[in-house]
Amino acid sequence: MPEQLYRRFATVYDRMGADRFSAEMAEYTIRIVRKFDITVTDALDLCCGTGTALQIFHRRGWRLAGIDQSPEMLAVAGRKLARARIDLYRRELPSFSIPLPGDDDIGRGFDLVTSFYDSLNYMLTKRALTGAFRSVYKHLKPGGWFVFDMNTAEALKTLWAGQVYADVLDDLAWVWKNRYDEKKRTADCAATFFVRKGSHWERFTEVHTERAYPNSEIKAMLRAAGFMVRGFYRCFSFEPPTRHAYRICAVAQRPVRSRRGR
Ligand SMILES: C[S@@+](CC[C@H](N)C(=O)[O-])C[C@H]1O[C@@H](n2cnc3c(N)ncnc32)[C@H](O)[C@@H]1O
């Protein structure tokens, strides 16, 4: 029977090497920060998972916060970041609210919000994704930046549809079976895990669903939430996404002066 997402999975996430992607995104984001000459004092990582990106950002001296819906993922992050003073909040997108940092002339809020490893593909309707963008907007300082990656439909069609991924370690094994619904642009991954507990093996299954959105829709939703789209790339590059790109990275900015009514 499927269970809630990223609960028992949290205990094996880093051991499976799933944290490596976040580390690569954190390094790529540091290149983006340099490219756009962004000054970061306060940053927030959405869907921060086990806190790998926060750990890398912490080394740069940024003040940090993270949010995630999973208490178990946050508990792993809390242990990893025990020596750092980072605020971790259990919150669920699309709507969330946490205390805003800073108190300067420009206004309160984060300088940078990030979200990595297709976390925003978990927003299964345009309303939810736009809602998440609006929540991010409210947490940014005027002029603040938002950097995130998302899987494209090409990724769900090619890397997910009908594919089975499996591996086995001494005390851990997993089998992931994926399906794709082309009409809805959604993919399901039934992820079954086997974890050795002493002399027996524990088995559990989580079903993850992601939705892909055309690039034009992502940009339109960002603009509807009040953002300027400052970069839209084939992830890990500074080139526009090709038709066959599996992952995009968006760089959006909250205008210094908001439009009336926002
Ligand atoms: C693929 S993991 C990525 C974790 C981390 N960003 C990384 O790169 O390793 C997706 C994360 O999104 C979180 N998540 C999924 N849906 C969410 C929601 N609606 N609100 C908050 N967090 C969510 C999950 O709990 C999980 O930690």
Side-chain angles (χ1 to χ4, degrees):
M1 161 117 150
E3 54 179 43
Q4 284 188 295
L5 301 187
Y6 295 97
R7 295 291 150 103
R8 279 190 276 181
F9 184 8
T11 60
V12 297
Y13 188 88
D14 286 2
R15 259 200 298 150
M16 292 172 64
D19 56 334
R20 283 199 292 268
F21 183 85
S22 201
E24 283 172 31
M25 277 308 296
E27 298 298 346
Y28 175 50
T29 299
I30 289 164
R31 289 201 281 139
I32 291 171
V33 163
R34 281 199 205 109
K35 179 179 169 68
F36 288 92
D37 201 15
I38 304 170
T39 303
V40 183
T41 304
D42 292 290
L44 165 67
D45 191 29
L46 294 186
C47 306
C48 64
T50 59
T52 302
L54 289 170
Q55 197 174 36
I56 291 169
F57 292 154
H58 177 65
R59 290 189 208 123
R60 305 197 70 75
W62 299 352
R63 285 200 304 244
L64 297 162
I67 71 170
D68 201 281
Q69 58 84 35
S70 160
E72 286 80 359
M73 294 293 266
L74 289 171
V76 177
R79 285 195 291 277
K80 203 184 270 181
L81 299 161
R83 287 159 169 271
R85 293 198 14 221
I86 293 178
D87 297 318
L88 296 172
Y89 300 93
R90 183 182 178 192
R91 296 286 188 280
E92 194 158 341
L93 272 54
S95 286
F96 65 89
S97 176
I98 61 168
L100 298 181
D103 195 9
D104 57 30
D105 296 345
I106 313 172
R108 290 161 65 78
F110 292 91
D111 305 294
L112 174 69
V113 176
T114 53
S115 179
F116 300 146
Y117 213 176
D118 29 286
S119 298
L120 289 172
N121 290 95
Y122 283 81
M123 298 293 104
L124 298 181
T125 61
K126 285 170 74 169
R127 189 190 167 94
L129 186 56
T130 310
F133 290 164
R134 286 191 207 283
S135 299
V136 171
Y137 184 96
K138 288 185 193 148
H139 287 75
L140 282 170
K141 252 181 207 163
W145 296 75
F146 181 28
V147 175
F148 62 91
D149 69 83
M150 286 183 87
N151 268 330
T152 62
E154 189 68 17
L156 300 189
K157 197 160 61 180
T158 312
L159 304 178
W160 287 52
Q163 304 289 342
V164 177
Y165 295 97
D167 208 347
V168 56
L169 309 179
D170 282 350
D171 53 356
L172 170 68
W174 61 91
V175 182
W176 291 16
K177 291 172 78 172
N178 300 335
R179 279 186 325 199
Y180 181 56
D181 181 326
E182 183 131 25
K183 233 163 130 193
K184 295 187 190 151
R185 286 208 184 84
T186 58
D188 292 332
C189 169
T192 299
F193 301 84
F194 302 86
V195 183
R196 184 149 69 183
K197 298 270 161 163
S199 59
H200 70 281
W201 288 78
E202 187 178 87
R203 171 185 166 164
F204 58 92
T205 299
E206 298 187 359
V207 179
H208 295 240
T209 304
E210 291 197 1
R211 175 170 171 189
Y213 297 86
N215 296 338
S216 57
E217 282 186 12
I218 299 172
K219 290 183 207 171
M221 285 184 264
L222 282 167
R223 290 189 184 110
F227 284 102
M228 299 184 294
V229 180
R230 300 291 306 272
F232 203 89
Y233 304 120
R234 179 169 49 81
C235 201
F236 300 117
S237 81
F238 291 113
E239 304 297 325
T242 58
R243 223 159 32 97
H244 297 296
Y246 291 147
R247 187 178 295 277
I248 59 89
C249 173
V251 180
Q253 187 179 21
R254 175 177 167 158
V256 175
R257 277 200 197 86
S258 303
R259 274 184 272 148
R260 217 147 35 105
R262 231 179 265 290

